[in-house]
Amino acid sequence: MLAICPDSFMRDYWQKKPCVLRAALPDFNDLLDENELAGLAMEPELDSRIVRFHNNQWSMIQGPFEEFSACEGKWTLLVQGVDKYLDDASELMSQFNFIPNWRVDDLMISYAVEGAGVGPHVDQYDVFLVQGKGSRRWRVGPPKSSVARPPAAGLCQVEPFEPIIDCELSSGDILYIPPGWPHDGSTIVSALTYSIGFRAPDQAQLAGYLAEHMQSAESLPARYTDPALPATEAPVSINRNEITQLKTLLHNAIDDNAFTFTLLKLLSEQGLEPEPVDADMLTKQLQQHIDNGGLIIKHPGCRPILCDDYTGWCFVNGEAIEFAQVNHPVMRNLMAKSTISRADMTLAPDDLDIFCTFARLINMGYWGYR
Ligand code: SIN
Ligand code: CO
Protein backbone atom coordinates (compact mmCIF):
# COMPACT_ATOMS: atom_id res chain seq x y z
CA MET A 1 0.00 0.00 0.00
CA LEU A 2 1.18 3.48 -0.88
CA ALA A 3 2.21 5.11 2.41
CA ILE A 4 1.42 8.70 1.49
CA CYS A 5 -1.62 10.92 1.99
CA PRO A 6 -3.07 11.44 -1.53
CA ASP A 7 -4.87 14.66 -0.51
CA SER A 8 -1.71 16.31 0.85
CA PHE A 9 0.34 15.09 -2.11
CA MET A 10 -2.14 16.52 -4.65
CA ARG A 11 -2.42 19.79 -2.73
CA ASP A 12 1.30 20.36 -2.17
CA TYR A 13 3.16 18.69 -5.05
CA TRP A 14 1.08 17.52 -8.04
CA GLN A 15 2.02 19.71 -11.04
CA LYS A 16 3.74 22.11 -8.63
CA LYS A 17 7.07 20.76 -7.46
CA PRO A 18 9.06 17.53 -7.28
CA CYS A 19 9.36 15.55 -4.07
CA VAL A 20 10.97 12.45 -2.64
CA LEU A 21 8.50 10.05 -1.06
CA ARG A 22 10.70 7.94 1.19
CA ALA A 23 9.60 4.33 1.73
CA ALA A 24 6.29 5.19 0.05
CA LEU A 25 5.95 1.55 -0.98
CA PRO A 26 7.36 -0.34 2.00
CA ASP A 27 8.43 -3.93 1.25
CA PHE A 28 8.14 -3.25 -2.48
CA ASN A 29 8.50 -6.43 -4.54
CA ASP A 30 9.92 -6.15 -8.04
CA LEU A 31 7.43 -7.14 -10.76
CA LEU A 32 10.15 -8.89 -12.77
CA ASP A 33 13.92 -9.20 -13.07
CA GLU A 34 16.26 -7.89 -15.77
CA ASN A 35 16.05 -11.13 -17.77
CA GLU A 36 12.26 -10.95 -17.92
CA LEU A 37 12.51 -7.27 -18.88
CA ALA A 38 14.86 -8.28 -21.71
CA GLY A 39 12.23 -10.85 -22.76
CA LEU A 40 9.62 -8.07 -23.00
CA ALA A 41 12.08 -5.97 -25.04
CA MET A 42 12.01 -8.73 -27.67
CA GLU A 43 8.25 -8.33 -28.20
CA PRO A 44 7.40 -6.26 -31.29
CA GLU A 45 4.25 -4.82 -29.63
CA LEU A 46 6.31 -3.12 -26.92
CA ASP A 47 8.34 0.03 -27.40
CA SER A 48 11.85 -0.63 -26.09
CA ARG A 49 15.28 0.98 -26.36
CA ILE A 50 18.79 0.78 -25.01
CA VAL A 51 20.54 4.01 -24.09
CA ARG A 52 24.26 3.68 -23.51
CA PHE A 53 27.38 5.65 -22.79
CA HIS A 54 30.24 3.66 -24.25
CA ASN A 55 33.73 4.68 -25.46
CA ASN A 56 32.91 8.24 -24.36
CA GLN A 57 29.87 8.39 -26.65
CA TRP A 58 26.12 8.37 -26.12
CA SER A 59 23.92 6.25 -28.37
CA MET A 60 20.35 4.97 -28.52
CA ILE A 61 19.31 1.69 -30.08
CA GLN A 62 15.63 1.12 -30.73
CA GLY A 63 14.01 -2.30 -30.03
CA PRO A 64 12.54 -4.84 -30.46
CA PHE A 65 15.75 -6.78 -29.77
CA GLU A 66 16.72 -10.23 -30.97
CA GLU A 67 19.85 -10.26 -28.85
CA PHE A 68 21.54 -7.89 -26.43
CA SER A 69 25.07 -7.32 -27.74
CA ALA A 70 24.26 -3.57 -27.60
CA CYS A 71 24.44 -3.82 -23.80
CA GLU A 72 27.97 -2.51 -23.58
CA GLY A 73 29.52 0.14 -21.35
CA LYS A 74 27.08 1.98 -19.14
CA TRP A 75 23.72 0.92 -20.51
CA THR A 76 20.06 1.21 -19.61
CA LEU A 77 17.30 -0.92 -21.13
CA LEU A 78 13.91 0.83 -21.13
CA VAL A 79 10.59 -0.81 -22.02
CA GLN A 80 7.40 1.21 -22.32
CA GLY A 81 3.70 0.27 -22.00
CA VAL A 82 4.49 -2.67 -19.71
CA ASP A 83 1.22 -2.19 -17.80
CA LYS A 84 -0.70 -3.72 -20.73
CA TYR A 85 1.36 -6.91 -20.78
CA LEU A 86 2.20 -7.64 -17.17
CA ASP A 87 -0.68 -8.89 -14.96
CA ASP A 88 1.31 -8.02 -11.85
CA ALA A 89 1.55 -4.36 -12.92
CA SER A 90 -2.15 -3.80 -12.09
CA GLU A 91 -1.51 -3.69 -8.37
CA LEU A 92 1.32 -1.16 -8.71
CA MET A 93 -0.75 1.01 -11.05
CA SER A 94 -3.74 0.84 -8.68
CA GLN A 95 -1.66 2.55 -5.97
CA PHE A 96 -2.03 5.71 -8.07
CA ASN A 97 -5.83 5.45 -8.39
CA PHE A 98 -6.13 8.83 -6.67
CA ILE A 99 -5.28 10.32 -10.09
CA PRO A 100 -7.99 9.92 -12.79
CA ASN A 101 -7.62 7.13 -15.35
CA TRP A 102 -7.73 9.49 -18.31
CA ARG A 103 -4.54 11.20 -17.12
CA VAL A 104 -2.58 7.93 -16.84
CA ASP A 105 -0.28 7.12 -19.73
CA ASP A 106 1.74 4.01 -19.02
CA LEU A 107 4.25 2.10 -16.95
CA MET A 108 7.81 2.10 -18.23
CA ILE A 109 10.38 -0.18 -16.61
CA SER A 110 14.11 0.36 -16.93
CA TYR A 111 17.12 -1.66 -15.90
CA ALA A 112 20.38 0.25 -15.56
CA VAL A 113 23.82 -1.11 -14.74
CA GLU A 114 26.18 0.55 -12.29
CA GLY A 115 27.15 4.06 -13.43
CA ALA A 116 24.46 4.15 -16.14
CA GLY A 117 21.58 6.56 -16.74
CA VAL A 118 19.90 8.21 -19.71
CA GLY A 119 21.54 11.57 -18.97
CA PRO A 120 19.99 14.90 -17.94
CA HIS A 121 16.64 15.42 -19.66
CA VAL A 122 13.21 17.01 -19.38
CA ASP A 123 9.89 15.14 -19.74
CA GLN A 124 6.62 16.76 -20.76
CA TYR A 125 4.61 14.60 -18.38
CA ASP A 126 4.25 14.02 -14.66
CA VAL A 127 6.06 10.92 -13.52
CA PHE A 128 6.44 8.83 -10.37
CA LEU A 129 9.80 7.05 -10.43
CA VAL A 130 9.43 4.02 -8.18
CA GLN A 131 12.76 2.53 -7.20
CA GLY A 132 12.92 -1.24 -7.42
CA LYS A 133 15.99 -3.31 -6.60
CA GLY A 134 19.35 -1.54 -6.54
CA SER A 135 19.84 2.14 -5.90
CA ARG A 136 20.16 5.34 -7.91
CA ARG A 137 21.17 8.93 -7.31
CA TRP A 138 18.63 11.38 -8.72
CA ARG A 139 19.16 15.06 -9.24
CA VAL A 140 16.31 17.40 -10.18
CA GLY A 141 16.77 20.99 -11.33
CA PRO A 142 14.39 23.95 -11.46
CA PRO A 143 12.04 24.24 -14.45
CA LYS A 144 13.06 26.34 -17.47
CA SER A 145 16.69 26.12 -16.33
CA SER A 146 17.61 23.70 -19.09
CA VAL A 147 18.89 24.14 -22.62
CA ALA A 148 18.55 21.25 -25.09
CA ARG A 149 21.84 19.49 -25.89
CA PRO A 150 21.14 16.26 -27.78
CA PRO A 151 24.31 14.13 -27.69
CA ALA A 152 23.08 11.66 -30.36
CA ALA A 153 20.11 10.98 -32.62
CA GLY A 154 16.99 10.13 -30.60
CA LEU A 155 18.40 11.39 -27.31
CA CYS A 156 16.84 14.57 -25.94
CA GLN A 157 19.30 15.53 -23.25
CA VAL A 158 19.71 18.97 -21.70
CA GLU A 159 22.72 20.83 -20.32
CA PRO A 160 23.84 19.94 -16.79
CA PHE A 161 21.84 21.90 -14.20
CA GLU A 162 22.14 23.05 -10.61
CA PRO A 163 20.04 20.54 -8.60
CA ILE A 164 17.48 21.54 -6.05
CA ILE A 165 16.97 17.87 -5.15
CA ASP A 166 19.94 15.52 -4.87
CA CYS A 167 18.93 12.20 -3.36
CA GLU A 168 19.69 8.51 -3.29
CA LEU A 169 16.73 6.19 -3.79
CA SER A 170 16.49 2.62 -2.62
CA SER A 171 13.79 -0.01 -3.05
CA GLY A 172 10.31 1.34 -2.23
CA ASP A 173 11.28 5.03 -2.45
CA ILE A 174 9.48 7.21 -5.00
CA LEU A 175 10.54 10.42 -6.71
CA TYR A 176 7.73 12.52 -8.18
CA ILE A 177 8.68 14.93 -11.00
CA PRO A 178 6.21 17.36 -12.64
CA PRO A 179 6.51 18.17 -16.37
CA GLY A 180 9.34 20.49 -17.33
CA TRP A 181 11.70 19.84 -14.40
CA PRO A 182 15.08 18.59 -15.67
CA HIS A 183 16.30 15.42 -13.99
CA ASP A 184 19.15 12.96 -14.15
CA GLY A 185 19.49 9.54 -12.56
CA SER A 186 22.79 7.73 -12.20
CA THR A 187 22.93 4.18 -10.98
CA ILE A 188 24.81 3.30 -7.80
CA VAL A 189 23.88 -0.40 -7.65
CA SER A 190 22.34 -2.02 -10.80
CA ALA A 191 18.72 -0.97 -10.62
CA LEU A 192 15.16 -1.45 -11.81
CA THR A 193 13.09 1.75 -12.05
CA TYR A 194 9.32 1.81 -12.57
CA SER A 195 8.11 5.06 -14.19
CA ILE A 196 4.39 5.69 -13.91
CA GLY A 197 3.81 8.43 -16.49
CA PHE A 198 0.81 10.69 -17.05
CA ARG A 199 -0.49 12.36 -20.16
CA ALA A 200 -2.05 15.76 -20.73
CA PRO A 201 -3.15 16.76 -24.24
CA ASP A 202 -1.83 20.02 -25.66
CA GLN A 203 -3.81 22.39 -27.91
CA ALA A 204 -2.46 20.75 -31.08
CA GLN A 205 -3.69 17.35 -29.93
CA LEU A 206 -7.09 18.74 -28.91
CA ALA A 207 -7.40 20.49 -32.28
CA GLY A 208 -6.62 17.10 -33.86
CA TYR A 209 -9.46 15.56 -31.82
CA LEU A 210 -11.82 18.26 -33.12
CA ALA A 211 -10.70 17.65 -36.71
CA GLU A 212 -11.24 13.91 -36.22
CA HIS A 213 -14.73 14.60 -34.84
CA MET A 214 -15.58 16.93 -37.74
CA GLN A 215 -14.80 14.14 -40.18
CA SER A 216 -16.94 11.60 -38.33
CA ALA A 217 -20.57 10.70 -39.03
CA GLU A 218 -21.72 12.34 -35.77
CA SER A 219 -20.80 15.77 -37.04
CA LEU A 220 -22.64 18.09 -39.43
CA PRO A 221 -20.12 20.86 -39.97
CA ALA A 222 -21.64 24.34 -40.32
CA ARG A 223 -20.14 26.62 -42.96
CA TYR A 224 -19.35 30.32 -42.88
CA THR A 225 -22.15 32.44 -44.45
CA ASP A 226 -22.39 36.18 -45.16
CA PRO A 227 -25.78 37.05 -46.71
CA ALA A 228 -25.45 40.69 -45.49
CA LEU A 229 -22.05 41.26 -47.10
CA PRO A 230 -21.94 44.81 -48.57
CA ALA A 231 -19.96 45.67 -51.71
CA THR A 232 -16.37 46.45 -50.77
CA GLU A 233 -13.85 48.97 -52.08
CA ALA A 234 -11.00 47.13 -50.36
CA PRO A 235 -11.07 43.52 -51.62
CA VAL A 236 -7.81 42.68 -49.81
CA SER A 237 -9.33 43.42 -46.37
CA ILE A 238 -10.80 40.95 -43.93
CA ASN A 239 -12.35 42.67 -40.93
CA ARG A 240 -12.55 41.89 -37.23
CA ASN A 241 -16.22 40.85 -37.42
CA GLU A 242 -15.47 38.31 -40.11
CA ILE A 243 -12.65 36.85 -38.04
CA THR A 244 -14.91 36.77 -34.96
CA GLN A 245 -17.59 34.98 -36.99
CA LEU A 246 -15.03 32.38 -38.16
CA LYS A 247 -13.82 31.81 -34.61
CA THR A 248 -17.44 31.57 -33.39
CA LEU A 249 -17.98 28.71 -35.85
CA LEU A 250 -15.06 26.90 -34.24
CA HIS A 251 -16.25 27.71 -30.70
CA ASN A 252 -19.71 26.35 -31.56
CA ALA A 253 -18.17 23.11 -32.82
CA ILE A 254 -16.20 22.77 -29.59
CA ASP A 255 -19.27 23.52 -27.44
CA ASP A 256 -21.43 20.98 -29.29
CA ASN A 257 -22.36 18.00 -27.05
CA ALA A 258 -21.58 15.64 -29.91
CA PHE A 259 -17.95 16.79 -29.73
CA THR A 260 -17.88 16.22 -25.96
CA PHE A 261 -18.96 12.64 -26.60
CA THR A 262 -16.21 12.15 -29.21
CA LEU A 263 -13.71 13.78 -26.84
CA LEU A 264 -14.59 11.27 -24.12
CA LYS A 265 -14.07 8.41 -26.56
CA LEU A 266 -10.73 9.80 -27.74
CA LEU A 267 -9.53 10.46 -24.19
CA SER A 268 -10.21 6.82 -23.35
CA GLU A 269 -8.09 5.60 -26.28
CA GLN A 270 -5.11 3.58 -25.06
CA GLY A 271 -4.00 1.57 -28.06
CA LEU A 272 -5.03 -1.56 -26.12
CA GLU A 273 -4.98 -4.81 -28.05
CA PRO A 274 -8.27 -6.53 -27.00
CA GLU A 275 -7.75 -10.09 -25.71
CA PRO A 276 -8.98 -12.68 -28.23
CA VAL A 277 -12.31 -14.22 -27.16
CA ASP A 278 -13.14 -17.88 -27.94
CA ALA A 279 -16.93 -17.75 -27.80
CA ASP A 280 -19.33 -15.01 -26.82
CA MET A 281 -20.30 -14.98 -23.17
CA LEU A 282 -24.07 -14.69 -22.59
CA THR A 283 -25.52 -12.49 -19.84
CA LYS A 284 -27.07 -15.55 -18.17
CA GLN A 285 -23.79 -17.48 -18.24
CA LEU A 286 -21.96 -14.59 -16.60
CA GLN A 287 -24.65 -14.31 -13.94
CA GLN A 288 -24.29 -18.03 -13.15
CA HIS A 289 -20.51 -17.71 -13.07
CA ILE A 290 -20.70 -14.89 -10.51
CA ASP A 291 -23.42 -16.57 -8.45
CA ASN A 292 -21.13 -19.62 -8.22
CA GLY A 293 -18.34 -17.51 -6.72
CA GLY A 294 -16.54 -16.56 -9.95
CA LEU A 295 -14.86 -13.25 -10.67
CA ILE A 296 -14.88 -10.69 -13.48
CA ILE A 297 -11.34 -9.51 -14.15
CA LYS A 298 -10.20 -6.33 -15.87
CA HIS A 299 -7.41 -7.00 -18.36
CA PRO A 300 -4.07 -5.42 -17.43
CA GLY A 301 -3.66 -1.83 -18.45
CA CYS A 302 -7.36 -1.27 -19.24
CA ARG A 303 -8.40 2.12 -17.86
CA PRO A 304 -12.06 2.95 -18.57
CA ILE A 305 -13.52 6.41 -18.04
CA LEU A 306 -17.00 7.56 -17.01
CA CYS A 307 -18.36 11.10 -17.03
CA ASP A 308 -21.18 12.11 -14.69
CA ASP A 309 -22.62 14.38 -17.42
CA TYR A 310 -23.09 11.29 -19.59
CA THR A 311 -24.84 8.88 -17.24
CA GLY A 312 -25.23 5.39 -18.68
CA TRP A 313 -22.07 5.49 -20.80
CA CYS A 314 -18.58 4.17 -20.26
CA PHE A 315 -15.63 4.81 -22.55
CA VAL A 316 -13.06 2.07 -23.05
CA ASN A 317 -10.09 2.22 -25.39
CA GLY A 318 -11.84 4.64 -27.77
CA GLU A 319 -15.23 2.88 -27.68
CA ALA A 320 -18.48 4.07 -26.06
CA ILE A 321 -20.58 1.42 -24.31
CA GLU A 322 -24.10 2.14 -23.07
CA PHE A 323 -25.64 0.75 -19.89
CA ALA A 324 -28.68 1.53 -17.68
CA GLN A 325 -28.47 5.09 -16.33
CA VAL A 326 -29.56 3.97 -12.83
CA ASN A 327 -26.38 1.89 -12.62
CA HIS A 328 -24.03 4.83 -13.22
CA PRO A 329 -22.87 5.24 -9.58
CA VAL A 330 -22.36 1.47 -9.18
CA MET A 331 -20.55 1.21 -12.53
CA ARG A 332 -18.20 4.04 -11.49
CA ASN A 333 -17.20 1.85 -8.58
CA LEU A 334 -17.12 -1.51 -10.42
CA MET A 335 -15.09 -0.25 -13.37
CA ALA A 336 -12.36 1.02 -11.06
CA LYS A 337 -11.84 -2.47 -9.62
CA SER A 338 -9.40 -4.99 -11.03
CA THR A 339 -11.65 -7.89 -9.92
CA ILE A 340 -15.41 -7.97 -9.32
CA SER A 341 -17.24 -10.54 -7.21
CA ARG A 342 -20.92 -11.01 -6.26
CA ALA A 343 -20.40 -8.95 -3.09
CA ASP A 344 -19.36 -5.92 -5.15
CA MET A 345 -22.68 -6.00 -7.00
CA THR A 346 -25.10 -6.03 -4.07
CA LEU A 347 -25.97 -2.34 -4.44
CA ALA A 348 -26.67 -2.42 -8.18
CA PRO A 349 -30.22 -1.17 -8.90
CA ASP A 350 -30.40 -3.23 -12.10
CA ASP A 351 -28.04 -6.16 -11.84
CA LEU A 352 -29.21 -7.83 -15.04
CA ASP A 353 -27.95 -4.76 -16.89
CA ILE A 354 -24.64 -4.97 -15.03
CA PHE A 355 -24.18 -8.58 -16.17
CA CYS A 356 -25.24 -7.67 -19.69
CA THR A 357 -22.68 -4.80 -19.81
CA PHE A 358 -19.83 -6.88 -18.44
CA ALA A 359 -20.70 -9.77 -20.77
CA ARG A 360 -20.32 -7.22 -23.60
CA LEU A 361 -17.02 -5.94 -22.22
CA ILE A 362 -15.77 -9.55 -21.92
CA ASN A 363 -16.82 -10.24 -25.52
CA MET A 364 -15.03 -7.06 -26.61
CA GLY A 365 -11.82 -8.40 -25.02
CA TYR A 366 -11.36 -5.79 -22.29
CA TRP A 367 -12.44 -7.84 -19.28
CA GLY A 368 -12.20 -11.59 -18.59
CA TYR A 369 -13.49 -13.99 -15.94
CA ARG A 370 -12.10 -16.63 -13.64
C1 SIN B 1 15.14 5.79 -16.28
O1 SIN B 1 14.43 4.90 -15.82
O2 SIN B 1 16.36 5.72 -16.24
C2 SIN B 1 14.55 7.00 -16.92
C3 SIN B 1 13.32 7.46 -16.25
C4 SIN B 1 13.06 8.95 -16.50
O3 SIN B 1 13.90 9.76 -16.22
O4 SIN B 1 12.00 9.34 -16.95
CO1 CO C 1 12.60 11.36 -17.28
Side-chain angles (χ1 to χ4, degrees), residues 76 78 108 110 118 121 123 125 127 129 136 138 183 193 195:
T76 307
L78 305 106
M108 176 179 82
S110 73
V118 299
H121 66 280
D123 296 317
Y125 46 81
V127 66
L129 298 171
R136 296 183 84 182
W138 283 95
H183 51 283
T193 304
S195 305

Side-chain angles (χ1 to χ4, degrees), residues 4-5 20-21 61 81 110 121 123 135 142 171 178 192 211-212 219 240 253 264 285 369-370:
I4 65 161
C5 167
V20 179
L21 304 163
I61 305 116
S110 73
H121 66 280
D123 296 317
S135 69
S171 185
L192 283 165
E212 201 170 314
S219 143
R240 192 178 301 156
L264 290 168
Q285 284 174 309
Y369 58 93
R370 194 175 59 214

Side-chain angles (χ1 to χ4, degrees), residues 12 52 60 83 120 190 201 220 224 272 283-284 286 300 310 354:
D12 299 336
R52 65 181 188 190
M60 194 275 281
D83 49 312
S190 298
L220 275 176
Y224 178 82
L272 268 185
T283 304
K284 231 184 160 48
L286 185 60
Y310 285 80
I354 298 270

Side-chain angles (χ1 to χ4, degrees), residues 19 21 96 108 110 121 123 125-132 136 138 140 169 172-177 183-185 193-197:
C19 66
L21 304 163
F96 300 91
M108 176 179 82
S110 73
H121 66 280
D123 296 317
Y125 46 81
D126 304 81
V127 66
F128 290 97
L129 298 171
V130 176
Q131 183 63 57
R136 296 183 84 182
W138 283 95
V140 186
L169 297 191
D173 292 338
I174 300 180
L175 172 63
Y176 163 72
I177 308 173
H183 51 283
D184 188 10
T193 304
Y194 302 79
S195 305
I196 294 105

Side-chain angles (χ1 to χ4, degrees), residues 269-310:
E269 224 162 51
Q270 297 183 251
L272 268 185
E273 214 38 77
E275 292 278 325
V277 180
D278 295 338
D280 270 4
M281 163 72 96
L282 303 174
T283 304
K284 231 184 160 48
Q285 284 174 309
L286 185 60
Q287 194 163 11
Q288 270 164 9
H289 173 73
I290 293 294
D291 287 343
N292 291 335
L295 298 171
I296 299 173
I297 298 160
K298 188 158 59 180
H299 286 321
C302 176
R303 286 182 286 274
I305 64 178
L306 270 79
C307 174
D308 288 353
D309 290 339
Y310 285 80

Side-chain angles (χ1 to χ4, degrees), residues 342-355:
R342 194 69 181 94
D344 298 314
M345 291 189 176
T346 47
L347 293 174
D350 179 351
D351 66 358
L352 194 64
D353 178 75
I354 298 270
F355 287 118

Side-chain angles (χ1 to χ4, degrees), residues 33-45:
D33 64 20
E34 56 273 35
N35 296 310
E36 289 161 315
L37 186 68
L40 290 176
M42 298 173 96
E43 299 291 338
E45 301 84 37

